[in-house]
Structures are given as structure tokens and as C-alpha cells.
Amino acid sequence: MGKPVLLTVDDDPGVSRSVARDLRRRYGEEFRIVRADSPVDALEALRELKLRGDVVAAMLADYRMPRMNGIEFLEQAMDLFPRARRALLTAYADTDAAIQAINLVDVDHYLLKPWDPPEEKLYPVVDALIETWRATGDSAVEETKVIGHRWSAPSFAARDFLARNAVPYRYYSVDEPEGERLLEAAGKTADDVPVVITPDCVCLCKPSNTEIAAAVGLSTNPAAEFYDLVVVGAGPAGLGAAVYGASEGLRTVLVERQATGGQAGQSSRIENYLGFPDGVSGAQLTDRARRQARKFGAETLSAREVTRLEVRGSARVVHFGDGTEIAAHSVVLATGVSYRTLDAPGVAELTGSGVYYGSAVTEAPACAGQDVYIVGGANSAGQAAVFFSRHAKRVVLLIRGSSLEASMSHYLIQQLEAIENVSVRTHTEVAEAHGEQHLERLTLRSGGESETVGAGYLFVFIGAAPRTDWLDGVLVRDERGFVRTGPDLIRGESRPPGWTLDREPYFMESSVPGVFVAGDVRAESVKRVASAVGEGAMAVTLVHRYLGEQ
């Protein structure tokens, strides 16, 4: 990110160089002096500065220029940088035009040419421009910028991807002036959103997660073709496996489809994790684990969809959706689970526009004054209710059962009972979601009776569906899709189909030797963050044992 800019434009190269020279002599240490020889070049430079997130403190434009005079230039420049201060360079004969410009386009000053000596005629005017600009509080935007529609699912997806990958960004709606300015600078319209603009001026229109990841500096391509260990999934179990694998000298690569942290990374507050008596957010825990894995040398690939697992001799090959692959001596599958979709009319159409799966913390500020409904009775739903209660007018938990005791930790139940704007509706389910561009109402069904209520947001936390269809025919899974491991694979005297070794599978080993499973995706696992981290570490211990046999 550069210094604030002082821009000068004059079609006379000699005058242009002289202005720039005098400005640089006085202001060069604190400001960047940008010189243009035509209004067209100056506007192009301003567009690039806008996309980069730089700020323009002041603009000095010559009045008499071909094709576009200084007043016309400043009118267009104001659309990009309305807070920049403006001055006209003019000859004595054009003084009346300069005075008129002050009234027409809010020009702050005019300067008569020649301005020698600058200490008397130029610098006092520029000092006044800078002082006025500083009073506006204008500042550079160093973050990635996202321009989108408030109720656009693709716009939400772009923001959510950046937030969950800890990439700083600033969001602008197409309905606000700065959003319009950024679109104009990028040569885009409201029909092109979401538009993502990186600090180094890369502009993406309706990008995929993979395109965003590559543009903002997240690693998407492996540095090697073969590793000791490939960890698929970067939730708590995958992060645990990556930390322990890399710290113990294994060439380790961690592959994530969407964002590190998994469902745990979306949690607003985890209060029963060992060593954090005051609680820790899922994002904080994830960020620490990600940095820890990187410290030990683990490589991370973001936005990579794994589509197939292949056994190729002693190698275990992981295939990606784009047709590429990587291979390793061993694999730890830690793909976790996803929330089940809510099967009710209108929900699918409004997903991303008022209906969200998981906590979607990026939406919290917009919940102010709104009625928020949360479907689910487990800890993730309770944590979300506590979090959104700080923003929303009212939070209502909807559960099918008779109470929260069977599915939620006692400490969370106590917290919810103490929050005045949180209530629980038992024996209740969502029958239908209503709204045009975004969620506006919900039809709730309870005890055979239906009721329609106003609702600004619906967050869904139901069930646990493993994403394991891509393992069909390769690994043994149970009837719900969870991967069987170790003793769970043994049936009497028989061993799992295709098992080629004399020994039985290790405790966390799948039906393919050298492929281990950790965390929620493993059949019969304990669905808790602490146990997932522990399983990731334990899987690495078994990986070492397996590699010692080779």
C-alpha cells in the first residue's frame, strides 16, 4: 500500500514536469506524486488507484486541455475520489472560468500560471488542500474488496470463503456510492457481481473459490508430486494430523475443499475445550492450528475438491476435480461432516439470502433488530444462539424434541436460560420459508398446527452427513456413509474385503492399508473438537507404525 497521492494532469509536458517537480520537492516524503499528460491517462491512473485501495489527497488539473478540459476531468475524477481536494491550473485569461468552476464542480482553489515562486503561490494552496483532505478522515483500504448484492447467495459465498480463510476483506454493496465507484473503476456493472478486487489490483468477476484462493495468495497447487502423508480435510482432526505429522518429520500436505477449521471453525465460542477456561472462538483456534502446522513445514492446499482415492501399488493417490493428482505413502481422511439440508419448500431457493447452514458470522451485524430463528438442538446451535443474541432483536431455537438436555451441553443450556432475548420452541419444525429476494417469513409446524411468523434470518444446524460418496467402492463404510476402521471392520474371523496384509487393521485404519480416518467422518467417533484433535494425532502415530512396515 503506497503513500497518499497528489495527482497533477497537464497536456503540456513541460508544465506537467514542472508541477510534479515542485510538488515532489515539498511533499515527496509524505505523498506519492502521480503525473499525467492527458485527462484520459489521468482517469486511467485514478481507476487503478481506486482498485488498489489507495487514496488521493488532491488533484491539480490544467483548465485548457484538448478533448476534455480541466473542469470536465474533475467532474469525472470526483466520481472515483469524491473526498480528494481539487484545484485548477489556469492562465490569467481563464480566471472567470476558474471561478465558475468553483461553483459548478466544487473546485477548492485555482492557481495562476506561472506559480513561481512556489513557496508563495503553489505551496500555500496545496497545504490548504491537504489540510482539508485530512479533515475528512479518508484512509487507504489495504484489504481485498468485495462488491456484491446484499441478498445475493454468490456474494455471500465469496465473503464467507474469505472470512473463513482469515483473509481480511472489506465489503461494499452495489447500492452504496463506494461500491458504484469501484465497479466503475473496474469497468463492471451490478450484473457482474460478486466482484473481488485484491490489493494488487487483480479483479475477479463472479469467481469460484479456487480463483479467489489463487488471487489472494492462498496456496492451491502442490509443491511436489509425492509426500509421506496427505491429510484430506482441514477441520480439527485434519489440523491435528498435519501438526503432528509435520512436527515429526513427515512430508505433509493438508488439502481442504473450502476453509480450514471445518464446522468447528464457524463456532462463535467453544467453552469446553481443554486449556481455554474463558473459551475460544472456532476462528481463533483454527488460526492458531493453521499457523502451527505451517511453522512445522506442513503445506496447505486451499479450495481443492478431492474426487477419488486410488491404490497404486504402495502409493495412495488422491485425485482432484480438475484432473490433477498427488500421491503419498499414507493418507489421513479427516473430511468431517456437513449439516443436512432442511427439506421444506422455499428453503433451497432462499439459501444464501436469509437462510444459512452453520453460523455464518459474517451476517451478524445485519441481524440488528431482526428476529433470528435457529434450527437444531446440539452445541453448535446453542453457541450460535448465544452469539446472535448479542446482535438480534430476538433469537428462537426450534427443536423437534421435548428439551435440549438430550443433545446440548449443560453449560450452554444454562447460558441460554439466562439470556432474555433467547427462547426455545420445542416440538417445532420449519414447514416452509417465504420471501421474494430474501427470507421474510417462516411457517412453523407444532403439534399439527401451523403458524406463520416474520423472520429475517434462519440458521440451520441439523444432523451430520459425511461427504464420502467419492470413496464408494474403495473403502468400507457403514449404512450412513461413515468410514469403518480398525475393530469395526472385523466380522468374526473375516477381514475387510481387499485387505492384503497378514495383520488386522490398526484402530483408525480403513479397509485399505495406509489409509487412516480421524474425526467425525470415522464411524463410531465421538463428535467433539477435543476428540477430533486427539484422533488426528493418534492417526499420525499409526501412520509411523505403518510406514515402519514398508
Side-chain angles (χ1 to χ4, degrees):
M1 191 61 58
K3 305 172 185 177
V5 169
L6 297 178
L7 180 138
T8 174
V9 53
D10 196 306
D11 66 308
D12 184 327
V15 173
S16 180
R17 285 192 296 270
S18 296
V19 176
R21 179 200 62 214
D22 289 343
L23 291 177
R24 192 172 292 111
R25 181 184 304 158
R26 174 71 172 261
Y27 306 102
E29 290 187 5
E30 190 176 356
F31 293 87
R32 180 155 61 103
I33 312 304
V34 175
R35 180 176 67 87
D37 293 332
S38 75
V40 173
D41 290 344
L43 287 172
E44 184 60 33
L46 288 175
R47 292 188 185 97
E48 183 172 339
L49 291 169
K50 171 62 71 174
L51 295 179
R52 288 184 181 278
D54 286 327
V55 293
V56 175
M59 297 179 283
L60 284 71
D62 183 45
Y63 173 66
R64 285 189 177 273
M65 292 185 289
R67 291 183 294 178
M68 184 188 302
N69 65 36
I71 297 176
E72 294 168 334
F73 163 74
L74 289 174
E75 283 182 310
Q76 294 192 38
M78 285 170 61
D79 292 337
L80 293 169
F81 289 95
R83 293 183 178 180
R85 308 327 301 169
R86 300 163 287 277
L88 271 178
L89 293 171
T90 181
Y92 180 79
D94 297 319
T95 302
D96 289 342
I99 294 173
Q100 184 182 14
I102 292 175
N103 298 320
L104 288 178
V105 295
D106 194 24
V107 172
D108 297 284
H109 293 276
Y110 69 90
L111 285 163
L112 289 175
K113 297 187 288 186
W115 55 87
D116 188 63
E119 288 78 10
E120 294 180 12
K121 298 182 179 180
L122 175 64
Y123 297 152
V125 171
V126 177
D127 286 345
L129 294 174
I130 291 173
E131 183 179 354
T132 304
W133 168 76
R134 281 182 172 144
T136 68
D138 200 10
S139 59
V141 178
E142 299 183 14
E143 304 93 345
T144 292
K145 295 171 281 294
V146 179
I147 306 98
H149 286 294
R150 173 69 188 86
W151 296 110
S152 160
S155 297
F156 164 75
R159 293 161 52 209
D160 188 59
F161 178 79
L162 291 169
R164 292 183 62 189
N165 281 284
V167 177
Y169 76 93
R170 190 174 298 187
Y171 174 72
Y172 302 89
S173 171
V174 295
D175 299 322
E176 62 181 286
E178 188 64 9
E180 295 177 355
R181 294 183 196 111
L182 286 166
L183 287 179
E184 195 278 333
K188 306 296 181 184
T189 69
D191 294 332
D192 297 318
V193 299
V195 172
V196 177
I197 303 169
T198 67
D200 55 355
C201 216
V202 174
C203 182
L204 305 174
C205 178
K206 298 180 180 178
S208 66
N209 284 350
T210 302
E211 290 171 328
I212 295 176
V216 300
L218 298 176
S219 179
T220 58
N221 296 311
E225 296 181 356
F226 198 90
Y227 295 84
D228 294 320
L229 173 63
V230 173
V231 182
V232 183
L239 287 166
V243 167
Y244 281 91
S247 68
E248 294 176 11
L250 298 179
R251 291 172 298 168
T252 302
V253 60
L254 178 64
V255 181
E256 171 53 40
R257 180 178 61 89
Q258 188 170 17
T260 51
Q263 287 187 9
Q266 294 181 283
S267 176
S268 57
R269 180 66 57 179
I270 302 170
E271 296 192 64
N272 59 353
Y273 189 76
L274 186 67
F276 292 90
D278 298 321
V280 61
S281 74
Q284 290 173 322
L285 190 64
T286 295
D287 182 60
R288 293 181 182 186
R290 178 173 49 228
R291 288 189 283 115
Q292 196 172 16
R294 188 183 303 122
K295 165 190 169 183
F296 288 120
E299 184 182 340
T300 301
L301 303 183
S302 301
R304 297 305 302 263
E305 181 87 29
V306 177
T307 58
R308 187 160 63 94
L309 176 65
E310 178 190 1
V311 177
R312 191 181 295 167
S314 62
R316 306 294 179 254
V317 182
V318 171
H319 294 262
F320 298 120
D322 62 357
T324 60
E325 63 182 43
I326 54 175
H329 292 300
S330 60
V331 172
V332 171
L333 298 177
T335 51
V337 294
S338 301
Y339 294 114
R340 295 188 185 277
T341 56
L342 184 61
D343 188 17
V347 169
E349 293 79 2
L350 294 172
T351 297
S353 302
V355 177
Y356 304 95
Y357 289 88
S359 60
V361 294
T362 54
E363 296 300 301
C367 290
Q370 300 281 334
D371 285 343
V372 171
Y373 286 80
I374 295 175
V375 180
N379 279 7
S380 54
Q383 290 161 352
V386 172
F387 174 73
F388 285 112
S389 70
R390 303 170 194 147
H391 303 270
K393 173 185 175 183
R394 186 168 65 112
V395 177
V396 182
L397 269 169
L398 307 176
I399 61 173
R400 290 184 176 184
S402 58
S403 71
L404 294 172
E405 276 74 11
S407 55
M408 189 177 294
S409 295
H410 180 65
Y411 82 91
L412 264 178
I413 296 174
Q414 287 184 311
Q415 283 189 27
L416 293 174
E417 290 174 347
I419 302 175
E420 292 184 357
N421 64 335
V422 174
S423 61
V424 181
R425 291 188 56 163
T426 59
H427 304 293
T428 304
E429 60 184 359
V430 174
E432 189 171 356
H434 312 270
E436 295 298 326
Q437 293 184 327
H438 59 89
L439 178 68
E440 298 172 1
R441 301 175 307 281
L442 291 172
T443 297
L444 306 179
R445 185 181 298 118
S446 179
E449 297 184 359
S450 296
E451 173 190 7
T452 299
V453 297
Y457 290 86
L458 176 69
F459 298 95
V460 182
F461 299 83
I462 55 173
R467 293 180 175 269
T468 57
D469 291 345
W470 59 281
L471 296 170
D472 190 32
V474 180
L475 301 184
V476 175
R477 300 175 294 154
D478 67 13
E479 62 280 358
R480 295 180 298 166
F482 293 91
V483 182
R484 295 187 184 276
T485 61
D488 193 38
L489 287 167
I490 307 301
R491 293 292 181 267
E493 297 294 327
S494 63
R495 303 217 176 141
W499 186 260
T500 58
L501 302 182
D502 293 335
R503 63 168 176 83
E504 294 181 350
Y506 294 132
F507 179 71
M508 301 177 66
E509 196 168 21
S510 71
S511 56
V512 171
V515 177
F516 298 84
V517 188
D520 290 358
V521 73
R522 190 176 68 83
E524 308 301 326
S525 66
V526 178
K527 307 300 189 277
R528 286 289 186 269
V529 175
S531 62
V533 173
E535 287 195 6
M538 187 187 302
V540 171
T541 298
L542 298 175
V543 165
H544 278 292
R545 189 179 301 178
Y546 167 77
L547 294 178
E549 300 170 347
Q550 304 306 301

